[in-house]
Amino acid sequence: MSAQAPSAVILIRAEKFVPNPATAADNAFQQDVPEGQSAEATSARALAEMDAVAQALRDAGVRVHVFGDSDHTRPDSVFPNNWLSTHPGGYVAVYPMYASNRRHERRGDILEMLKADYRLQTIVDYSGLEPDGIFLEGTGAMVLDHVSRVAYTAVSHRADTHVLERFCSDFNYEPMPFDAVDSGGVPVYHTNVIACIGTDVALVALDLIADEQRRQEVRERLEVTGREIVELSEDQVREFAGNAVELCGRTPEGRKRYIMAMSGRARRSLTGEQLTVIERSCEIVSVDIPTIELAGGSVRCMIAGVHLDPRPVGAPSPTATAEAIDEHPVSADGQVEDSGRRRRSLDRTPVAR
């Protein structure tokens, strides 16, 4: 598995998708549903787009975990990267969400799957900061360079620098906050609409970083890692060209392949020269998702990458020493042993708060 490009992802199949009215105030990318189109028709179209994204990633050899969601009170649940991120070494972060009607998007069944299928050591939960009005919406708010350990962050209501500093201290990242605004002076609501960092390439709208010195610092920080920078215009950002994500798939023959997942709209906005630069390091996989993009997010927002090592298939046989130690079917604290060998436990993962 590449440090930057995960080989597995989590997607949410949100059956009741509609653009979230609670997030429209500060999301300049959000649009209204076409006049006369019913909520049922909007949801049906979005569902077909979600399925198309999942299939395109599977076809590229990416492992896809799909979770259904029929709850009509979670219109934005299709965007799980805002509440969850995973990290090499077995670490998971859970984030505080700005819109109150998004906070119950956090799901225990997803965390349980990660515990069962991957080597998960610790969950760090920042969601308790919500009553204090402090938010950091995951890898929407931060674009992470997992190789050089840098957290690029456009400061906004959804990306508080205090939580950013805390995250960076806990997960060993260098914070790189900056102010980013569009030509109308409106702050960028999420960093991942203006920047995407791959293994060898970075797509970024540097001109939206307001301060010239900070803009140059971000450029130099990216260049020193050896990545080739594809500079995006504001018009391309509005077409979601920055809302892409690099993943690691497999060819039918089992060879590793790097892909850049983005929407069809995003791909069509890129110039031939930009496409050439991207395709020097990875293959572009694009899917049209016009209904989902009404909510102000695109393909990257739909994907929570799994940067965890998978558990080996099948439980390992205990050694003779372990069998000698685990000789009693019931432990001292009254928990039942599994076949007299391993203790059954709902959750052996320590949770840091």
Side-chain angles (χ1 to χ4, degrees):
M1 181 177 66
S2 162
Q4 188 65 26
S7 57
V9 299
I10 295 168
L11 300 180
I12 306 298
R13 195 172 187 271
E15 298 176 18
K16 305 295 184 182
F17 171 89
V18 289
N20 186 356
T23 60
D26 70 333
N27 184 343
F29 296 81
Q30 193 165 323
Q31 300 176 46
D32 294 330
V33 172
E35 188 174 353
Q37 182 170 299
S38 67
E40 292 75 15
T42 301
S43 296
R45 293 182 182 186
L47 203 57
E49 294 170 12
M50 296 170 207
D51 291 341
V53 170
Q55 190 57 52
L57 297 182
R58 290 192 189 101
D59 290 345
V62 176
R63 185 181 185 187
V64 181
H65 301 280
V66 177
F67 286 80
D69 183 18
S70 59
D71 190 337
H72 73 281
T73 69
R74 298 195 286 220
D76 275 342
S77 65
V78 69
F79 303 136
N81 79 312
N82 296 152
W83 71 264
L84 172 74
S85 70
T86 67
H87 303 265
Y91 298 92
V92 169
V94 175
Y95 296 97
M97 307 281 280
Y98 179 61
S100 60
N101 74 345
R102 295 202 63 192
R103 295 171 190 171
H104 63 303
E105 291 174 21
R106 296 186 289 259
R107 293 174 54 166
D109 58 343
I110 294 178
L111 298 176
E112 290 300 322
M113 181 278 292
L114 292 174
K115 293 175 189 177
D117 291 2
Y118 297 89
R119 295 189 183 277
L120 196 158
Q121 178 172 298
T122 301
I123 299 172
V124 183
D125 187 354
Y126 302 103
S127 64
L129 296 170
E130 287 168 348
D132 299 318
I134 302 174
F135 312 103
L136 184 69
E137 293 190 339
T139 54
M142 304 177 290
V143 172
L144 300 176
D145 179 347
H146 295 282
V147 178
S148 299
R149 314 297 295 179
V150 183
Y152 296 91
T153 307
V155 178
S156 71
H157 297 304
R158 308 188 190 203
D160 184 275
T161 54
H162 295 90
V163 198
L164 173 65
E165 293 278 354
R166 188 161 156 186
F167 165 85
C168 288
S169 176
D170 291 340
F171 286 83
N172 192 30
Y173 283 82
E174 170 195 345
M176 181 67 80
F178 50 82
D179 293 315
V181 297
D182 65 18
S183 56
V186 178
V188 171
Y189 84 105
H190 270 167
T191 315
N192 74 358
V193 296
I194 65 167
C196 162
I197 298 176
T199 302
D200 298 313
V201 67
L203 286 60
V204 58
L206 288 168
D207 286 347
L208 270 64
I209 299 177
D211 182 79
E212 186 175 346
Q213 180 178 342
R214 194 56 166 165
R215 186 188 315 150
Q216 185 59 28
E217 290 170 351
V218 171
R219 180 194 299 276
E220 291 173 355
R221 193 68 184 85
L222 286 167
E223 288 178 339
V224 78
T225 66
R227 291 182 174 88
E228 197 164 5
I229 296 178
V230 174
E231 292 203 41
L232 303 175
S233 68
E234 182 175 339
D235 287 342
Q236 289 175 321
V237 165
R238 293 194 179 281
E239 297 298 305
F240 294 104
N243 200 240
V245 60
E246 187 186 76
L247 303 171
C248 182
R250 293 280 174 180
T251 66
E253 298 75 31
R255 292 193 301 273
K256 186 182 294 186
R257 68 196 288 197
Y258 290 99
I259 67 167
M260 186 69 75
M262 63 177 64
S263 73
R265 174 182 175 182
R267 191 187 192 285
R268 289 188 291 272
S269 76
L270 296 170
T271 67
E273 183 179 353
Q274 290 171 322
L275 292 170
T276 298
V277 172
I278 296 168
E279 290 173 337
R280 277 203 285 265
S281 63
C282 51
E283 171 191 350
I284 295 175
V285 173
S286 61
V287 181
D288 283 308
I289 54 167
T291 309
I292 292 171
E293 286 175 333
L294 293 174
S298 191
V299 168
R300 200 292 165 244
C301 294
M302 296 173 66
I303 293 172
V306 180
H307 293 267
L308 303 171
D309 293 327
R311 290 190 183 276
V313 178
S317 299
T319 63
T321 303
E323 287 185 323
I325 293 172
D326 295 340
E327 59 184 348
H328 300 296
V330 179
S331 64
D333 58 4
Q335 296 195 56
V336 178
E337 300 288 338
D338 185 3
S339 300
R341 292 175 180 172
R342 290 181 294 115
R343 178 177 302 177
R344 292 176 183 164
S345 175
L346 245 160
D347 180 8
R348 291 180 291 175
T349 304
V351 178
R353 296 188 180 272

